[in-house]
Amino acid sequence: RLISLCTGGLCHVIFLIYFYRLCGLLLKRQQAIWITMGAASFAYLGVAYATAINNHSTAAALAVCGLYYACALRHGQLQKWWHWPLTGFVLGLLPAIDLPGVAISGLIVLYLLAHDWKKTLFWLVPMMLPWGLLHLWLTYKISGSLQPFYTNVELHRFAGEVSALSEHLGRDL
């Protein structure tokens, strides 16, 4: 339960905090911010995964956090040098937690490259690389291959597992 609370509930709170900050950057009217926050409050991803640990809420929190930092950097709200490596840290951790986050991180990097390519390449990207390498190393240690789990069909089925579809059809798939 503690792990589900941390990966679900706590990450949703972090999601909401950074979503509020992002709305403050992008929206002018307070009423628009509150309506948007009200809608985002129902975006809790742990409901569908209430009986298992999930990485989706964690990835959503990291995606919104990375997007906030990117928008704040681009709009001149964050001026300290360490905001660039921090953004890279968050955007590198995102695909390590949930592999499809590569698309989100990649698009945000392109967004920042268009703004300041030097800081992006020298401060942000190097902070992303350790997470990618760690992900590849763990994938190799666990499966013996660098092939992502998502694309390795052999890892989708477990011994003794019977899918709902195979029960419905009356045969093993």
Side-chain angles (χ1 to χ4, degrees):
R1 292 190 187 268
L2 177 64
I3 292 175
S4 291
L5 175 69
C6 292
T7 61
L10 182 61
C11 288
H12 188 63
V13 170
I14 293 169
F15 168 86
L16 290 174
I17 290 168
Y18 278 97
F19 193 77
Y20 177 77
R21 295 178 78 183
L22 181 63
C23 287
L25 276 176
L26 301 177
L27 303 173
K28 294 180 182 175
R29 295 179 54 197
Q30 190 66 32
Q31 182 182 12
I33 293 172
W34 286 114
I35 290 171
T36 307
M37 284 302 299
S41 296
F42 294 105
Y44 177 58
L45 297 170
V47 174
Y49 308 97
T51 60
I53 299 169
N54 80 82
N55 59 340
H56 305 293
S57 295
T58 308
L62 288 168
V64 170
C65 183
L67 185 58
Y68 163 75
Y69 281 122
C71 287
L73 285 169
R74 187 136 181 192
H75 290 121
Q77 298 293 321
L78 299 176
Q79 298 296 323
K80 303 263 194 267
W81 69 268
W82 53 269
H83 287 120
W84 287 89
L86 178 64
T87 306
F89 178 85
V90 170
L91 292 176
L93 184 57
L94 171 59
I97 297 291
D98 198 4
L99 193 58
V102 166
I104 296 168
S105 292
L107 289 171
I108 293 174
V109 167
L110 290 175
Y111 175 72
L112 289 173
L113 270 171
H115 173 64
D116 189 338
W117 66 271
K118 286 183 182 178
K119 288 181 182 174
T120 302
L121 291 178
F122 294 115
W123 288 104
L124 188 132
V125 172
M127 287 303 290
M128 293 176 71
L129 293 177
W131 293 111
L133 294 173
L134 179 65
H135 179 77
L136 289 173
W137 180 76
L138 286 173
T139 300
Y140 183 76
K141 289 302 258 183
I142 293 169
S143 69
S145 168
L146 291 177
Q147 182 180 5
F149 293 121
Y150 290 100
T151 62
N152 193 343
V153 179
E154 296 170 1
L155 299 175
H156 292 189
R157 299 289 304 261
F158 300 99
E161 174 192 6
V162 179
S163 71
L165 181 61
S166 65
E167 282 183 7
H168 177 69
L169 296 175
R171 59 186 162 95
D172 193 21
L173 297 177

